[in-house]
Amino acid sequence: MSKLIKRFLPKRLLPRLLLIFLLPLIMTQCIVIIFFYDRHWEKIVTRFSNIASNQINLITYEYKNNGIQKAREVSARLNISFFIIKDINIKKNKNTIWKNKIEKNIKNRVGGEIFLFFGEDTIKFYQKIQENYVLLIFPKKYLHSETPIILFLWMISSSLFLAFIAFLFLRIQIRAIQRLAKSAEDFGYGRKKETKFKPEGAMEIRSAGNSFIKMKKKINNYISQKTNFLSGISHDLGTILTRIKLRLELMDDKEEIEDVKKDVM
């Protein structure tokens, strides 16, 4: 199971840090949205549809009992347009879940043969009464609230903005680690032209960088001392060998000198 998870995890440090940051944020946003839309918005939709149903029942009651004029007076006070038409020709559009819920709630409370048509700015309500149809035109804000949509967009935009800022900060930290790794690699391979490294980033990364610089200085000092030591030994040995060679050249016994010269050379 762990091998399967590791296979899908990003290999580089920056994607892993972004995943650690974004995963809890996305999960929190999803939980908040689910609870909000499931509870709060459903209550708003139910309340709006109940209020609209009461207004519809009031207007239709006045129309049935007191006539068209009285029904128009009541609808005007409620800021609802009232019309009587003989025939309708409605093409039903595919509604969203919440529009279907509004229509269902109104049908349950009003009853009868009714139709709802959702326009851009208005909502039209049709109800058949006797041989005619009552047409009521509601402002869209009476039945549909845009506050949840605004809240949803605000949550998404703020999350994206915060994620972008986090990405910039994480990129700075990763860049410092990459420079430290590059400098260590160049020094390890003994490249003459090493990457110029300056500790930067968070305190922990700076501390690692300073430790690397101190280690690098100590190793360079050790290499320099070793080189000087070997150079001194080579110089001293060269002087002794030169003196031995000179002495051999001044000796008379040629046979013995030749054997010794072979050993010295």
Side-chain angles (χ1 to χ4, degrees):
M1 186 67 181
S2 59
K3 291 183 179 180
L4 182 63
I5 295 174
K6 288 180 180 179
R7 184 182 300 175
F8 292 100
L9 285 176
K11 302 296 185 292
R12 300 181 66 86
L13 182 58
L14 180 58
R16 287 195 175 193
L17 291 176
L18 288 175
L19 183 64
I20 293 171
F21 173 77
L22 292 176
L23 189 60
L25 180 63
I26 294 173
M27 291 181 64
T28 303
Q29 296 285 354
C30 292
I31 292 171
V32 170
I33 290 172
I34 290 171
F35 275 94
F36 178 81
Y37 278 79
D38 186 52
R39 295 176 179 272
H40 181 69
W41 203 1
E42 186 174 357
K43 288 181 180 179
I44 291 176
V45 169
T46 304
R47 188 174 299 174
F48 280 6
S49 58
N50 290 342
I51 293 172
S53 300
N54 294 333
Q55 293 173 341
I56 292 168
N57 289 329
L58 176 61
I59 295 171
T60 54
Y61 174 81
E62 294 293 337
Y63 169 68
K64 291 177 182 177
N65 294 279
N66 300 316
I68 297 176
Q69 191 62 32
K70 186 64 177 178
R72 284 179 177 170
E73 291 178 3
V74 173
S75 61
R77 291 175 186 174
L78 298 174
N79 195 24
I80 300 172
S81 301
F82 175 85
F83 301 96
I84 299 295
I85 56 178
K86 292 184 178 181
D87 194 13
I88 59 174
N89 185 14
I90 300 175
K91 293 181 179 180
K92 292 288 289 183
N93 296 327
K94 189 175 181 180
N95 294 328
T96 60
I97 298 174
W98 301 108
K99 289 180 181 180
N100 289 331
K101 190 171 184 61
I102 291 172
E103 187 173 1
K104 182 180 178 181
N105 289 340
I106 293 176
K107 283 182 177 181
N108 292 335
R109 292 182 65 89
V110 175
E113 186 179 350
I114 64 173
F115 304 96
L116 262 74
F117 178 77
F118 294 87
E120 293 184 1
D121 300 319
T122 59
I123 298 175
K124 295 180 180 180
F125 170 84
Y126 298 89
Q127 183 180 15
K128 187 173 184 181
I129 299 178
Q130 296 176 356
E131 299 297 327
N132 299 321
Y133 285 91
V134 173
L135 170 60
L136 300 177
I137 302 177
F138 292 84
K140 193 173 183 179
K141 62 182 181 180
Y142 277 25
L143 286 167
H144 188 266
S145 176
E146 294 183 354
T147 303
I149 299 174
I150 295 172
L151 178 61
F152 175 75
L153 294 175
W154 180 85
M155 290 171 61
I156 296 299
S157 59
S158 61
S159 299
L160 291 175
F161 178 72
L162 292 175
F164 178 71
I165 293 176
F167 170 76
L168 294 179
F169 278 101
L170 290 174
R171 188 180 178 186
I172 294 172
Q173 305 303 320
I174 297 301
R175 188 182 301 166
I177 297 174
Q178 288 175 341
R179 288 177 179 174
L180 174 60
K182 179 64 175 173
S183 182
E185 182 181 359
D186 291 342
F187 180 70
Y189 282 108
R191 294 169 184 164
K192 294 182 178 180
K193 190 177 179 181
E194 297 180 9
T195 306
K196 292 183 178 179
F197 174 70
K198 181 181 179 182
E200 58 183 356
M203 292 181 62
E204 292 80 1
I205 301 175
R206 288 175 181 267
S207 177
N210 290 324
S211 299
F212 168 73
I213 291 174
K214 291 178 182 178
M215 179 193 70
K216 183 179 176 182
K217 287 181 179 179
K218 289 181 179 180
I219 293 175
N220 285 331
N221 290 334
Y222 171 75
I223 294 172
S224 178
Q225 291 174 3
K226 182 180 178 182
T227 303
N228 293 333
F229 174 73
L230 295 175
S231 178
I233 292 176
S234 177
H235 180 268
D236 294 340
L237 290 175
T239 302
I240 296 172
L241 290 173
T242 302
R243 293 178 64 183
I244 293 172
K245 289 177 183 179
L246 181 61
R247 181 64 62 88
L248 290 172
E249 293 293 334
L250 296 175
M251 292 179 68
D252 295 332
D253 191 352
K254 298 296 182 179
E255 294 180 0
E256 296 181 0
I257 290 173
E258 292 299 327
D259 295 335
V260 175
K261 276 185 177 182
K262 289 180 181 179
D263 295 334
V264 173
M265 295 300 178

